[in-house]
DNA sequence: TTTCTTTTTGACCAAACGGTCAAGACCACG
DNA sequence: CGTGGTCTTGACCGTTTGGTCAAAAAGAAA
């Protein structure tokens, strides 16, 4: 029975695959795909390299597994945007959820950023299908709110981009933000207040 | 005479160092430091590997040269923010200049993004000195405008972060933006309009 | 216990990598 | 032309890297 091809069956397989993916997330998000080595991941996971390769057939397979698991949960906040809710509050809540993800899952954010900055060689396809479909759908909802005069007139796609840019910035550029603000301040708490008022001013009709 | 230590003297040295730095910018910005190989840079520059290493002593030296050249020009738009000018127009002009840099120098933006996302291992020091000093200085200017009621009350540091995030997003996440918008649209022209109105709404008292 | 499967590992390999070196090609200048 | 410095290169080296393999260790089930 090959632990690398079939779904994990034993408790040891489940535990070790989880350990490996967590270690790989740590290493990949910090050094990028090519900057990370199998040895680094194995060390971080507390396993020997051959043992790690018993659970995943290759370094690339680990990376792909991480990315596809990520894409799934990464878009949940946008999926939750409710066409029936109050427009301004829905959009603000979306921005707030995205900012929470920057705070709670900065490694995931940086893994994604690394992939996109380098041209999305491994997930490019799903961007123009899966992601585009979802964004287009929600953009239509926002455009409807605009047309009905319930929020100001804004390009819905760029509104969504601005939420991504502003929230992910606090995870992806964390070092820079902290270097500039100095040690006494709390970037993500401040960002919550700032972004809330920014999007409120932008959206109020 | 060592072409690697002294300032370039001959025309050939000047030309080849320029060619190499341009090729290295292309490769580093696409693959990151560890993802780039000396052979890739040499190929892109049309030189043999030993010949390239005749002009720069190491791969790291090329990278450092690029980054320090970049830091210099990267902050020019912010330096140009004039305390004596019209507050809203000054800030809008800054955002516009930054967006132009995303359009005209996307490789530089991605080189920087790669460095920061991975924890700024090579320029971390100058972030908390050079960069922080400049930002703090300009933040004081903006705070003055706020206090005088000439723009709305905003946290000046986070205002600057928001300009960075929103403008660099269009260079760093270019693939994603284009994948979502589809082929018929012009992201950077649209962004200009969108950001202009966003910051206008945010800043008007 | 015995037997069978799953898990772990030390030793190893081929390719890729950053970098060196000695020697040849080229070029400016007298 | 010749001569001295600049530029270029093929061959090479030690290390790192992703990955393999046979065999040993550890579990599971009877």
């Amino acid at each position: 029975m090959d632990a690398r091809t079939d779904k994990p069956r034993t408790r040891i397989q489940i535990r070790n695959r989880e350990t490996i993916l967590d270690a790989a997330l740590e290493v990949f998000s910090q050094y990028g795909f090519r900057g990370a080595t199998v040895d680094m991941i194995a060390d971080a996971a507390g396993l020997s390299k051959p043992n790690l390769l018993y659970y995943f057939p290759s370094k690339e397979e680990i990376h792909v597994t991480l990315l596809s698991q990520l894409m799934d949960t990464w878009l949940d906040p946008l999926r939750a945007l409710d066409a029936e809710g109050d427009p301004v509050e829905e959009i603000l809540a979306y921005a707030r959820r995205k900012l929470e993800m920057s705070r709670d899952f900065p490694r995931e954010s940086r893994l994604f950023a690394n992939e996109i900055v380098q041209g999305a060689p491994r997930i490019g396809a799903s961007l123009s299908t899966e992601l585009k479909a979802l964004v287009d759908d929600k953009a239509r909802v926002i455009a409807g709110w605009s047309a009905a005069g319930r929020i100001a007139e804004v390009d819905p796609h760029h509104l969504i981009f601005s939420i991504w840019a502003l929230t992910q910035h606090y995870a992806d550029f964390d070092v820079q933000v902290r270097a500039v603000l100095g040690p006494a301040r709390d970037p993500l708490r401040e960002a919550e207040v700032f972004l809330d008022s920014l999007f409120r001013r932008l959206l109020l009709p």
Side-chain angles (χ1 to χ4, degrees), chain A residues 28-80:
Chain A
F28 280 137
S29 66
Q30 191 170 356
Y31 300 99
F33 178 74
R34 299 251 348 222
T37 73
V38 178
D39 278 299
M40 290 166 79
I41 301 171
D43 280 356
L47 299 174
S48 67
K49 181 167 64 170
N51 197 10
L52 182 147
L53 290 165
Y54 170 74
Y55 292 100
F56 288 90
S58 70
K59 175 184 168 184
E60 178 140 7
E61 197 67 26
I62 304 175
H63 195 240
V64 167
T65 303
L66 276 177
L67 280 176
S68 56
Q69 278 190 11
L70 178 56
M71 272 290 272
D72 238 28
T73 60
W74 207 239
L75 296 177
D76 280 346
L78 182 53
R79 287 199 195 92

Side-chain angles (χ1 to χ4, degrees), chain A residues 77-83 90-91 94 97 138 141-142 145:
Chain A
L78 182 53
R79 287 199 195 92
L81 189 92
D82 182 8
E90 281 295 322
I91 294 169
Y94 173 49
R97 281 193 297 271
K138 297 303 183 182
V141 171
I142 295 171
W145 288 337

Side-chain angles (χ1 to χ4, degrees), chain A residues 2 9 13 22 41 64 72 74 90-91 115 123 127 148 151 153 166 170 205:
Chain A
D2 192 342
R9 315 198 154 238
Q13 277 177 34
D22 187 73
I41 301 171
V64 167
D72 238 28
W74 207 239
E90 281 295 322
I91 294 169
E115 172 72 6
I123 56 163
L127 293 184
I151 59 172
E153 274 198 34
L166 287 167
Y170 288 94

Side-chain angles (χ1 to χ4, degrees), chain A residues 13-24 41 44-47:
Chain A
Q13 277 177 34
I14 292 170
R15 173 171 51 84
N16 279 351
R17 282 183 63 105
E18 266 173 21
T19 308
I20 290 168
L21 286 176
D22 187 73
I41 301 171
L47 299 174

